[in-house]
Amino acid sequence: MPVPQNKEDLTKLFRELGARNPEAWASSQVSEGIHQLHRFLFLRQAWARVVSESDDTWIDKQVSESERYADGPYAGVGQAIHRMLAAGVAREDIVDLARGMQAQLLFDICYLLDGPEDSEPRVEDIGWALVETDSESEPTKQMMSCLHESVLVTDPTGREMRPRGSQVDSRSPEAPGPL
């Protein structure tokens, strides 16, 4: 199905996909020519891989796996969580810690997708980018750059990774783009 080209239909699509402020996403795509739908979908799917603040079931799974496979990959995570629980750390705090670290990693990876940060001798001509593809999975000439600028505005909680109970500052941009 082709992507809508007018602001009204694009706004409706962003709304159906769960975007906060769908008008801003659609307006930016139509007026600035930035393929915001691609950005939004990538980031929405990336955020789906970050632990939800309302789900702590993964904590027990991590601890259990680390007990079953004490020397296995990621066993240290479960072991650390076990010690945290034994020390009286609240499950909510463990979730917030994991979520915050994962969100920071998401930001860093999105930043890295724009290409290497530093040129290393002998490989300074090597680079990379995340590019859009067409319906046949062929790369288009459109790059998805500066994704890190939209990481916080796509936080599913709507708080841009602020602590639970916080409100987003009214001066904070609601639209996609540079923060």
Side-chain angles (χ1 to χ4, degrees):
M1 179 162 93
V3 175
Q5 299 301 309
N6 65 64
K7 184 179 174 186
E8 294 76 26
D9 290 341
L10 202 51
T11 298
K12 181 180 176 188
L13 180 57
F14 274 111
R15 186 173 287 111
E16 290 170 7
L17 293 170
R20 285 186 318 278
N21 201 347
E23 297 83 7
W25 287 96
S27 178
S28 174
Q29 180 155 328
V30 171
S31 66
E32 300 169 35
I34 299 170
H35 292 193
Q36 297 291 12
L37 184 59
H38 289 77
R39 295 170 66 83
F40 174 78
L41 289 173
F42 176 86
L43 288 166
R44 185 181 74 162
Q45 291 184 25
W47 272 106
R49 286 151 173 81
V50 173
V51 298
S52 168
E53 70 178 12
S54 62
D55 178 20
D56 67 2
T57 58
W58 61 270
I59 291 174
D60 298 323
K61 291 175 187 170
Q62 284 289 157
V63 172
S64 177
E65 282 295 304
S66 73
E67 290 169 349
R68 283 182 47 195
Y69 305 104
D71 291 329
Y74 310 108
V77 174
Q79 294 163 3
I81 291 171
H82 179 76
R83 290 189 302 273
M84 293 168 77
L85 291 168
V89 175
R91 293 173 73 87
E92 184 176 280
D93 291 337
I94 296 170
V95 169
D96 289 348
L97 174 64
R99 181 174 167 74
M101 298 306 297
Q102 288 178 338
Q104 182 62 55
L105 179 61
L106 172 58
F107 178 90
D108 291 344
I109 288 173
C110 286
Y111 193 84
L112 183 61
L113 287 173
D114 285 341
E117 192 170 292
D118 296 318
S119 311
E120 296 181 40
R122 298 189 50 146
V123 291
E124 61 269 355
D125 294 333
I126 294 177
W128 53 78
L130 181 63
V131 297
E132 298 172 10
T133 59
D134 62 21
S135 61
E136 305 297 318
S137 297
E138 293 296 321
T140 68
K141 292 182 180 177
Q142 192 69 253
M143 286 183 22
M144 292 173 60
S145 60
C146 301
L147 283 168
H148 64 281
E149 295 175 352
S150 300
V151 168
L152 291 176
V153 297
T154 54
D155 172 6
T157 68
R159 292 191 316 272
E160 300 177 356
M161 286 307 297
R162 290 175 176 83
R164 297 171 194 246
S166 297
Q167 299 296 318
V168 175
D169 186 336
S170 62
R171 294 168 292 161
S172 177
E174 295 178 13
L179 297 177

